[in-house]
């Protein structure tokens, strides 16, 4: 365990779940000393991701308790290792989902570390020294500088935090499909939640015509008036779905609820692409006819590499893109997780780690 590893001598206050009830309680643990390749970060804010909910409740059967969640981390660097040249004390820094990878494979060498076979995550992973990783629901973090990004000065640290997961998750497939550099496409965003609302902001900033596809008619005003979407399709409305057939070049599906891809694929033009970033519990229903008769492509995508994450963060600074958030104190983490399970948030919870209200 991390707290028994010899060089883990720094005592840290944090918040952890100890069993599948998922209840978060204060937790004192140990972190490693700052090594030659490390930076130490005083954590200011940490977003609450749906992945956190799955881990604390052991929904996927892989949780190593106690688990300190959190992989949408922003803070200030307080110490740098001797090999670190790209960060200095006082820098605004962010840490996302990745904490380690092999550094040698084709993916690591092309800054696609997120696809490395030996990738380890910011929490509930195994670091190079054999210790279990603990995430951002804590007051400080020691991270290898190769997995840390700079936060632009003009972005608020709280609203920037979810960009480290939600932001890069939707940015990466847009980058992969040349939507960042080439404007003028017709882009569909399925789902207007934590991921979808950021995807709308990106697509509009990059110069595209954006259609939000949702099961909730009540979200149309929000999508258009607040986020700038051009069109809105209610996916349960057969007339609207028919009118939208073959109108979109690219669709990003952010929905994690079980659903069929067939009707959504019909919205794509011939040669169109659908990228899935949501993770439903059951396999997608994928009818063959919409694929065959439209020469369409279905792909998946997960987060992004470190170079891509820094590019995303810099573009967020350029276009002043942040997440729409609700800030909570650490003593309200359990309430926030319960509300997240009910999708009762618009659109991301962020914990004020440095806030005064503790348990």
């Amino acid at each position: 365990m991390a707290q028994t590893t010899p060089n883990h001598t720094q005592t840290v206050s944090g918040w952890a779940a100890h069993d599948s009830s998922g209840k978060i309680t204060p937790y004192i643990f140990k972190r490693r000393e700052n090594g030659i390749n490390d930076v130490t970060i005083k954590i200011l804010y940490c977003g609450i991701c749906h992945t956190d909910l799955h881990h604390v409740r052991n929904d996927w059967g892989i949780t190593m308790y106690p688990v300190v969640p959190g992989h949408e981390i922003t803070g200030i660097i307080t110490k740098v290792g001797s090999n670190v040249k790209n960060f200095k004390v006082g820098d605004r820094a962010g840490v996302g989902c990745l904490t380690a990878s092999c550094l040698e494979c084709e993916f690591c060498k092309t800054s696609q570390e997120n696809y490395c076979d030996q990738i380890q995550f910011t929490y509930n992973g195994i670091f190079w020294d054999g210790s279990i990783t603990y995430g951002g629901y804590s007051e400080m973090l020691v991270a290898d500088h190769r997995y840390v990004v700079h936060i632009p000065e003009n972005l608020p640290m709280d609203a920037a935090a979810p960009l480290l997961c939600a932001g890069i998750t939707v940015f990466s497939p847009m980058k992969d499909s040349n939507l960042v550099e080439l404007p003028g496409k017709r882009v569909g965003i399925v789902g207007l939640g934590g991921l979808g609302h950021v995807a709308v902001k990106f697509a509009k900033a990059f110069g595209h015509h954006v259609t939000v596809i949702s099961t909730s008619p009540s979200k149309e005003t929000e999508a258009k008036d607040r986020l700038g979407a051009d069109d809105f399709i209610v996916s349960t409305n057969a007339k609207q779905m028919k009118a939208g057939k073959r109108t979109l070049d690219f669709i990003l599906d952010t929905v994690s609820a079980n659903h069929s891809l067939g009707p959504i694929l019909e919205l794509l033009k011939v040669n169109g692409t659908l990228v899935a970033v949501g993770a439903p519990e059951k396999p997608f229903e994928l009818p063959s006819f919409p694929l065959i008769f439209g020469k369409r492509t279905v792909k998946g995508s997960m987060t992004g590499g470190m170079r891509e994450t820094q590019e995303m963060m810099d573009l967020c600074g350029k276009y002043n893109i942040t997440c729409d958030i609700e800030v909570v104190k650490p003593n309200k983490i359990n309430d926030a997780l319960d509300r997240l399970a009910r999708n009762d948030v618009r659109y991301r919870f962020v914990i004020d780690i440095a806030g005064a209200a503790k348990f």
Side-chain angles (χ1 to χ4, degrees), residues 6-315:
N7 69 333
H8 285 238
T9 57
Q10 299 195 79
T11 301
V12 181
S13 295
W15 298 271
H18 293 264
D19 55 48
S20 59
S21 71
K23 183 180 180 181
I24 300 291
T25 56
Y27 180 53
I28 305 297
F29 61 100
K30 301 287 188 181
R31 289 205 188 275
R32 70 180 185 273
E33 291 296 323
N34 198 90
I36 59 174
N37 292 313
D38 291 331
V39 297
T40 296
I41 300 171
K42 174 181 170 56
I43 298 175
L44 299 181
Y45 297 98
C46 184
I48 298 179
C49 177
H50 221 101
T51 299
D52 300 349
L53 189 63
H54 289 307
H55 272 99
V56 300
R57 298 181 178 181
N58 200 24
D59 289 340
W60 297 330
I62 59 171
T63 303
M64 296 178 283
Y65 292 108
V67 60
V68 177
H71 59 207
E72 299 177 342
I73 303 162
T74 57
I76 303 296
I77 291 180
T78 60
K79 188 181 294 185
V80 298
S82 58
N83 285 352
V84 178
K85 308 302 180 188
N86 56 330
F87 292 98
K88 65 182 184 302
V89 172
D91 280 355
R92 294 154 49 95
V95 174
C97 303
L98 315 183
T99 195
S101 60
C102 79
L103 302 176
E104 297 295 332
C105 70
E106 61 175 308
F107 302 110
C108 287
K109 290 183 176 179
T110 55
S111 196
Q112 300 178 81
E113 300 90 346
N114 51 312
Y115 295 112
C116 173
D117 280 342
Q118 298 179 43
I119 187 175
Q120 295 299 330
F121 296 109
T122 301
Y123 69 88
N124 204 59
I126 306 294
F127 194 62
W128 290 316
D129 63 7
S131 64
I132 294 174
T133 56
Y134 292 126
Y137 292 20
S138 59
E139 294 181 330
M140 62 86 79
L141 176 73
V142 180
D144 187 289
H145 73 100
R146 288 165 288 197
Y147 305 91
V148 181
V149 297
H150 292 273
I151 306 295
E153 292 293 332
N154 64 307
L155 295 183
M157 295 286 267
D158 52 0
L163 294 172
L164 276 306
C165 176
I168 186 60
T169 296
V170 298
F171 176 83
S172 185
M174 290 186 181
K175 172 77 173 178
D176 188 57
S177 296
N178 296 317
L179 296 178
V180 178
E181 298 85 1
L182 299 176
K185 297 295 185 181
R186 299 182 71 90
V187 173
I189 308 297
V190 185
L192 195 65
L195 274 66
H197 90 285
V198 184
V200 172
K201 293 183 180 185
F202 279 143
K204 289 303 298 180
F206 302 151
H208 303 295
H209 182 284
V210 178
T211 299
V212 171
I213 303 141
S214 173
T215 59
S216 303
S218 61
K219 292 186 176 181
E220 181 170 3
T221 299
E222 176 89 0
K224 289 181 176 179
D225 296 349
R226 190 155 182 263
L227 298 173
D230 301 284
D231 290 314
F232 190 92
I233 294 176
V234 179
S235 57
T236 54
N237 185 313
K239 184 177 180 180
Q240 291 185 21
M241 291 292 284
K242 183 177 180 180
K245 286 185 69 171
R246 293 198 175 193
T247 61
L248 303 176
D249 298 291
F250 173 89
I251 294 175
L252 185 66
D253 188 341
T254 71
V255 174
S256 292
N258 297 321
H259 62 290
S260 174
L261 297 183
I264 299 170
L265 283 170
E266 296 283 12
L267 300 175
L268 284 172
K269 297 177 182 178
V270 173
N271 277 319
T273 298
L274 182 151
V275 180
V277 294
E281 293 180 4
K282 296 180 180 179
F284 284 117
E285 182 184 322
L286 181 58
S288 59
F289 281 6
L291 283 177
I292 294 168
F293 285 90
K295 199 181 179 182
R296 299 172 176 115
T297 300
V298 175
K299 301 170 65 175
S301 181
M302 64 164 286
T303 62
M306 296 313 302
R307 184 191 308 146
E308 198 169 60
T309 304
Q310 186 64 69
E311 178 186 358
M312 174 216 61
M313 197 59 74
D314 292 342
L315 285 171

